[in-house]
Each structure stands twice: as structure tokens, then as C-alpha cells.
Amino acid sequence: MSVPFPATAPVPGQLRVLVVDDDLSMREALASLIGSAGWPVESFASAAELLQRLQMPLDGPACLVLDVRMPGMTGLELQRELSQAGRPLPIVFLTAHGDIPMTVRAIKAGAIEFLPKPFDDEALLGAIAQGLAEAAQAWQAQQGSRALRARYESLTQREREVLHWLLQGLRNKQTADRLGISEVTVKVHRHRMMEKMAAGSLPELIAMLDRLGVPRVDPGMSQGLNGG
């Protein structure tokens, strides 16, 4: 199978596969197969081991290859735990004891695939490729949101005040009157604010703020803002 991801040492932002199976021989076989396809692999003997690892943030997109029946927390319970913790990962389930209701539950909860053991190598690698593609897309979106949040946090208090009145539809002169500063100063703050946010237009800026969940009306700024 042709896999579009080369084998290289893990670097920040690189794809990786996390394998969880209590059977050592199965973990080793999976690591060998996945590694031969060019993906870095981390292996764990239990759900508890994986959760311990995930206490440190992953530095790139990841797909989880997960056994269903394990001592302690099962694969399905781990899937639910990750989802409730707000850390869902694309999951490819493997099991020697699957049934239709179990498969349906896993897929409904967001699993990529549910493969019986012994599995077909090509089917597994194809499912992992799909999971990694989804993970990469989500990672890219997450990194974009973080960068956007950082740009918003870089705004000064005055720039945020100008932004507030801009979102209320006030013109520069009206904003200047509200803030007790000159219209020229408002224009300077507005230019810097748009530049920091990398927004080419007001609609683009509004879309950015909506993405961040920033309210368009800040009660703290709605009355009596003064100062220079």
C-alpha cells in the first residue's frame, strides 16, 4: 500500500500512531507494521498507560489504534473518557470478540474503523491513513485558533476599546468622542488593531472574533470610557 507520509524522526507537528493493546506480541506486530508504513509509533500496554502519556500534550496529530477488551479500562471506556475530557482522537478499534452492537456504539462515538482480529494489513493501514488525515486537519485548525487567539491577546486595552465601538457601528469621529481622544488617534489604533489581527476587512475581523467566541458587546465598555 502506498502511504503518503514518509518515515522520519518525530518532530513537532508530525503525525504519529498510538497503539494500545495488553498483548505484547500484538503490540510489537502492530508497531512493526505501522512503522514500515512510515509512521512513528508509541505503544502502551493499557488505557492507564496511555492516559498517563496524554498528561503531556501531544506535539502533533495522532491516531489511536486500540484494542477493545483489556484488563482495567476497556477500549470503549477509554474512547468515552477521552471524549469527555475534550481530547478525542481518531480511533481504529481492533478486537477478537466484536459484535454488531459494539461496533455500532464505537462508530457512533466517532471511531474510524472497527476491525476484527486477525486483521487485514491493508485495511488497517488504510484506516490509520484516514484517521491521521482527520487528525492533521483538526490539528491545523487548532493551531490556527491558537495563533488567532495570540493575535487577539496582543491587542492593547485602547485597541480593544476602539474595536468595541467599531463593532457597534460607530465611525471614527463618534468613537473618538466616546473615548475622549482625537479622531487621528482612533485611526492609528484602528490601523494597528487591524494589522495585529491580520484582518483585511471588517467582515473578516468579525468572522475571526466569532471564531474565538469574543462577544461583540462588552458590558464593561458600554458606559463612560475615557482616557487617552
Side-chain angles (χ1 to χ4, degrees):
M1 178 179 182
S2 176
V3 180
F5 308 108
T8 57
V11 294
Q14 178 170 320
L15 303 161
R16 74 185 60 217
V17 182
L18 309 175
V19 173
V20 185
D21 198 305
D22 62 307
D23 185 322
L24 176 58
S25 62
M26 178 59 68
R27 288 200 307 277
E28 291 177 341
L30 286 167
S32 177
L33 173 64
I34 295 167
S36 70
W39 296 306
V41 184
E42 295 182 35
S43 299
F44 307 89
S46 66
E49 283 189 13
L50 176 70
L51 291 174
Q52 175 95 23
R53 164 66 178 87
L54 292 180
Q55 288 182 8
M56 297 182 296
L58 293 171
D59 59 359
C63 177
L64 182 57
V65 176
L66 181 58
D67 188 26
V68 173
R69 295 194 177 183
M70 298 181 292
M73 183 180 291
T74 68
L76 292 174
E77 289 170 342
L78 176 58
Q79 180 188 35
R80 185 166 58 251
E81 174 79 12
L82 292 173
S83 179
Q84 291 175 347
R87 303 196 63 180
L89 292 170
I91 297 176
V92 178
F93 276 108
L94 301 176
T95 182
H97 309 283
D99 55 42
I100 293 177
M102 182 186 295
T103 303
V104 170
R105 286 201 304 275
I107 298 298
K108 280 187 174 181
I112 297 295
E113 186 60 275
F114 201 102
L115 299 174
K117 296 179 181 178
F119 52 82
D120 177 78
D121 290 357
E122 295 293 307
L124 175 60
L125 293 178
I128 291 173
Q130 179 184 344
L132 287 173
E134 293 185 8
Q137 185 176 25
W139 175 267
Q140 189 174 34
Q142 182 183 58
Q143 296 308 300
S145 293
R146 287 177 177 173
L148 183 58
R149 172 61 64 180
R151 295 204 300 271
Y152 177 74
E153 295 295 339
S154 74
L155 298 180
T156 66
Q157 179 62 28
R158 181 60 88 198
E159 287 164 354
R160 293 191 193 194
E161 292 168 356
V162 170
L163 172 60
H164 165 76
W165 294 117
L166 174 63
L167 295 177
Q168 304 314 302
L170 270 64
R171 297 182 180 277
N172 291 335
K173 187 176 186 311
Q174 294 171 310
T175 298
D177 291 341
R178 293 283 184 130
L179 298 178
I181 58 180
S182 71
E183 185 176 353
V184 171
T185 301
V186 169
K187 289 179 180 180
V188 170
H189 285 309
R190 177 170 175 168
H191 174 75
R192 288 178 179 172
M193 178 265 297
M194 296 291 285
E195 192 173 59
K196 286 183 179 180
M197 292 299 295
S201 65
L202 180 57
E204 185 179 356
L205 176 64
I206 291 174
M208 290 176 176
L209 297 175
D210 287 344
R211 182 178 171 188
L212 291 174
V214 175
R216 298 190 190 180
V217 177
D218 183 345
M221 293 184 186
S222 59
Q223 297 292 333
L225 288 170
N226 296 300

